Amino acid sequence: MILLGPSGCGKSTLLRMVAGLEDPTSGDVFIGDRRVNDVEPKLRDIAMVFQSYALYPHMTVAENIEFPLKVRGVAKAERAAAALKAADVLGLTDYMKRKPGQLSGGQRQRVALARAIVRDPAVFLMDEPLSNLDAKLRGDTRAELVDLHRRLDSTFIYVTHDQVEAMTMGSRVAVLNAGQLEQVGTPQDVYDHPASTFVAQFIGTPPMNLLQPGQLGSSDVRVGVRPEHLLIAAAGELEGTVRQVEHLGHEVLLLTESPAGRLTARVAPHADLPIVGETVRFDVAPHHLHRFDAVTGVRVP
Amino acid sequence: MATDIAAVNTTRGLRKVGRYSLLVFVAIVVLFPIYAVLLQALKSGPDSLDHPRSLLPVDLTFSTISEAWTQGDLGRLLMNSLFVSVMVTLGVIVTSLLAAYAFAFLEFPFKGPIFVFYIATMLVPGEVTVVFNQRTADSLGWINSYQGLIVPSLASTFGVFLVRQVFLQLPHELREAASLDGVGHLRFLWEVAAPLSRPTLGALGLFTFLGTWNAYLWPSQVIRGDRAHETIQIGLDRLKSNDISRLNLVTGGLVVAALPIFILLVVFQRQLVRGLTAGAVKG
């Protein structure tokens, strides 16, 4: 489960309430069938990975990974074996004697994960675990996490503001905005059927085009179209003037101005693309139109 | 142009000379008494009275120091001072850790006001409380005892303040991560917070040790003629003599009393400086 939303939308707070680091002002938290509102964090059978990793700087990697077991009174040999196993899963066996200060960001991140894995919790809570990594490492670690999730077969609750992470990693995505839950669904479902204009614009790069109310519908409806669904057609219903052409290699983005508002189209790269200043017409298949209430922004059938 | 530069250089040079002269003067003011004491201790009684020759490093001997050692029973005094200083130092580190932890990590009613009130006690000079503390010690039967020397010094407001500052700088996630792992307060203090504050604890220990070693006022109030429990600072009193040729016995004793802390300072100099600048650099 991915909790997705812009900064300050409450996703971390939600995670911390599941962890027991913060108390909900109202409502109940269930882990499995168990209501855990009054259960201490350590008894909730959860493990958390922090954005800053929160490794103990004075302990070696091995000691860091073993620490949760040590606290539980697991015998030395047993916890060393468990730590080694967790480290092996994450490719950390060569670094067991180092201190966190001697590791790169990605390695520290994996130590934090290993420390969570070693506890074998029912739920993993992750608070933007990739946001301190550079782009390449983030991509690699993302894949590793997905792999890990499949192998461990336990619940991950993953907080992020990065919709790419949400789309690629999530079994389900919960989109939050200003403390409100906007939508829950599979990534594809959320993408294909956004429940509100907020979700429509938050998920997808570039975001969905939202036409002015009254365009392609009645005046109390805003119509949205994904950029890839705008097809260049001489007899199209929408007309726009090309302001910019962005070549991304495998695709081209046409940024156009139109009476209906800004329209961005995602088209395949080919020879006879329109140039800046040219007027183009777009057609949209009716089933690719999304309709939202012009006032509330909520999806309408 | 050239003359201008020359003039600037001259002023700079003069300023430098002035600055160094001042430093040299201050250094002499500070070092001369130490030099004088050392020299007195290293001369025989009569030689130490032979002014101004007594200020020249000639006719040096260890006889005065060795006489002070035996006559003042300095070995026992040193052991007493060592015992008291070590106990107070350990005690202060433990109480500072515990109290600082409470002020840094726990939530309880009136935490802020209590802390301010506690810190405000630093404003009360120790001399003011001596009489009352002495009466308390008396009523507890602690006069002429180790507990009388040690227990009143076991808590240090400064120590609590210092350690709390360090704790406040530890990332909050560490405590949260630990609590998710089921780590209780004492365990977190012992296994995470204390090891991470080691430099500060070292400096605090050193300061406390020096302070206790050099303490005079309180030991002189709580030890009333009981030779078995005397610390070196008050035990030196016994080296005083009416025999003018043996006046420098006390100086010999002083050198013996200062030697351990001199060694300590040399060994832990860096620790000490770090402790002094800890608050300043990190803010």
Side-chain angles (χ1 to χ4, degrees):
Chain A
M1 167 67 90
I2 306 275
L3 304 179
L4 174 69
S7 318
C9 71
K11 54 194 188 300
S12 286
T13 309
L14 183 57
L15 194 75
R16 292 168 59 85
M17 287 193 291
V18 176
L21 294 172
E22 263 166 71
D23 292 324
T25 44
S26 66
D28 292 329
V29 180
F30 283 89
I31 295 177
D33 295 328
R34 188 163 67 125
R35 180 178 178 276
V36 293
N37 283 44
D38 304 318
V39 178
E40 273 186 77
K42 64 171 176 181
L43 300 175
R44 291 190 181 192
D45 200 13
I46 45 147
M48 186 155 170
V49 177
F50 290 83
Q51 185 177 353
S52 61
Y53 316 141
L55 301 177
Y56 305 115
H58 59 297
M59 297 183 193
T60 63
V61 168
E63 286 167 339
N64 261 290
I65 300 174
E66 281 180 32
F67 193 63
L69 299 180
K70 191 177 163 194
V71 174
R72 293 173 170 194
V74 177
K76 202 168 183 182
E78 200 181 322
R79 63 180 196 243
L84 202 63
K85 199 175 146 204
D88 189 42
V89 170
L90 293 156
L92 285 168
T93 41
D94 292 343
Y95 308 105
M96 295 300 265
K97 292 212 164 66
R98 297 215 197 157
K99 298 258 175 87
Q102 299 163 304
L103 300 176
S104 69
Q107 289 164 340
R108 281 182 217 181
Q109 216 280 329
R110 279 183 285 167
V111 176
L113 274 172
R115 193 173 65 178
I117 291 174
V118 81
R119 296 183 48 189
D120 191 22
V123 185
F124 286 87
L125 307 175
M126 305 198 181
D127 192 355
E128 310 213 9
L130 305 185
S131 60
N132 287 347
L133 304 181
D134 62 47
K136 158 119 179 46
L137 204 53
R138 200 178 304 163
D140 296 347
T141 316
R142 208 164 65 203
E144 277 176 29
L145 275 175
V146 171
D147 191 42
L148 193 66
H149 181 211
R150 205 180 48 237
R151 271 188 287 167
L152 296 176
D153 195 28
S154 54
T155 305
F156 280 36
I157 301 181
Y158 186 104
V159 161
T160 182
H161 61 262
D162 183 340
Q163 48 123 343
V164 177
E165 282 177 22
M167 294 298 286
T168 53
M169 301 175 72
S171 319
R172 291 196 299 160
V173 178
V175 185
L176 285 100
N177 180 32
Q180 299 293 321
L181 180 63
E182 295 270 337
Q183 187 172 6
V184 186
T186 65
Q188 197 61 48
D189 187 41
V190 172
Y191 186 83
D192 289 341
H193 308 285
S196 65
T197 50
F198 175 81
V199 179
Q201 295 222 293
F202 197 74
I203 291 184
T205 315
M208 181 184 282
N209 297 299
L210 281 180
L211 309 182
Q212 294 300 324
Q215 296 284 331
L216 299 181
S218 67
S219 63
D220 55 357
V221 167
R222 284 191 86 167
V223 170
V225 190
R226 291 275 177 209
E228 59 269 33
H229 296 143
L230 283 174
L231 306 170
I232 298 177
E237 282 181 87
L238 294 165
E239 186 188 82
T241 311
V242 179
R243 286 278 166 249
Q244 215 172 318
V245 182
E246 292 184 347
H247 293 272
L248 300 178
H250 60 296
E251 64 183 22
V252 176
L253 299 179
L254 296 177
L255 278 58
T256 71
E257 297 272 4
S258 81
R262 283 202 180 148
L263 292 177
T264 304
R266 186 196 301 258
V267 296
H270 50 78
D272 54 343
L273 283 170
I275 54 164
V276 173
E278 204 174 317
T279 302
V280 283
R281 301 193 73 86
F282 298 110
D283 203 4
V284 193
H287 65 275
H288 281 145
L289 293 179
H290 305 263
R291 291 179 183 80
F292 304 99
D293 188 292
V295 182
T296 62
V298 175
R299 186 180 189 89
V300 291
Chain B
M1 205 44 191
T3 44
D4 279 0
I5 291 170
V8 168
N9 278 342
T10 320
T11 357
R12 257 192 216 154
L14 281 176
R15 224 178 267 165
K16 219 174 193 177
V17 169
R19 223 177 280 157
Y20 275 96
S21 311
L22 185 70
L23 287 174
V24 167
F25 174 72
V26 172
I28 289 172
V29 168
V30 171
L31 292 176
F32 181 76
I34 298 174
Y35 170 78
V37 166
L38 201 60
L39 219 56
Q40 287 279 299
L42 290 173
K43 297 211 173 209
S44 68
D47 279 350
S48 72
L49 297 168
D50 181 11
H51 304 300
R53 203 176 138 79
S54 63
L55 286 175
L56 297 178
V58 289
D59 308 326
L60 301 183
T61 167
F62 280 104
S63 65
T64 303
I65 289 181
S66 74
E67 197 186 336
W69 181 273
T70 37
Q71 195 190 318
D73 201 2
L74 297 189
R76 184 179 47 76
L77 296 181
L78 283 177
M79 287 317 288
N80 278 347
S81 273
L82 187 70
F83 176 69
V84 170
S85 300
V86 166
M87 293 310 281
V88 168
T89 303
L90 292 178
V92 162
I93 288 177
V94 169
T95 56
S96 298
L97 276 173
L98 290 170
Y101 187 86
F103 282 125
F105 289 105
L106 303 184
E107 289 304 325
F108 50 91
F110 305 111
K111 178 168 140 178
I114 290 174
F115 183 68
V116 170
F117 184 73
Y118 183 59
I119 287 301
T121 61
M122 279 207 279
L123 297 173
V124 182
E127 288 79 357
V128 173
T129 58
V130 157
V131 173
F132 303 99
N133 284 346
Q134 205 256 352
R135 275 189 206 161
T136 310
D138 195 9
S139 64
L140 289 170
W142 285 4
I143 299 297
N144 292 331
S145 71
Y146 284 127
Q147 58 266 41
L149 283 167
I150 294 168
V151 175
S153 308
L154 285 183
S156 154
T157 321
F158 172 69
V160 174
F161 177 75
L162 197 69
V163 178
R164 173 182 168 269
Q165 291 307 103
V166 180
F167 282 176
L168 289 178
Q169 283 164 0
L170 296 178
H172 213 250
E173 285 91 357
L174 284 182
R175 179 70 196 109
E176 294 183 338
S179 74
L180 291 179
D181 285 341
V183 178
H185 290 299
L186 275 178
R187 182 156 203 166
F188 181 73
L189 174 62
W190 185 248
E191 295 208 26
V192 182
L196 289 176
S197 346
R198 217 177 292 160
T200 304
L201 295 179
L204 174 64
L206 199 58
F207 279 117
T208 309
F209 190 92
L210 294 182
T212 315
W213 185 273
N214 288 331
Y216 182 83
L217 182 62
W218 177 249
S220 74
Q221 294 309 300
V222 85
I223 301 299
R224 296 284 171 138
D226 174 14
R227 303 196 65 166
H229 291 101
E230 270 174 355
T231 62
I232 189 141
Q233 307 297 349
I234 55 172
L236 286 180
D237 221 35
R238 299 188 185 279
L239 292 174
K240 277 186 194 159
S241 170
N242 288 328
D243 180 352
I244 192 158
S245 69
R246 302 181 71 192
L247 272 183
N248 66 338
L249 266 189
V250 180
T251 1
L254 272 179
V255 171
V256 173
L259 205 60
I261 53 171
F262 178 73
I263 293 168
L264 207 65
L265 277 180
V266 171
V267 174
F268 290 106
Q269 210 185 89
R270 280 177 53 197
Q271 200 87 295
L272 195 73
V273 172
R274 209 186 304 170
L276 282 171
T277 53
V281 181
K282 284 182 185 166

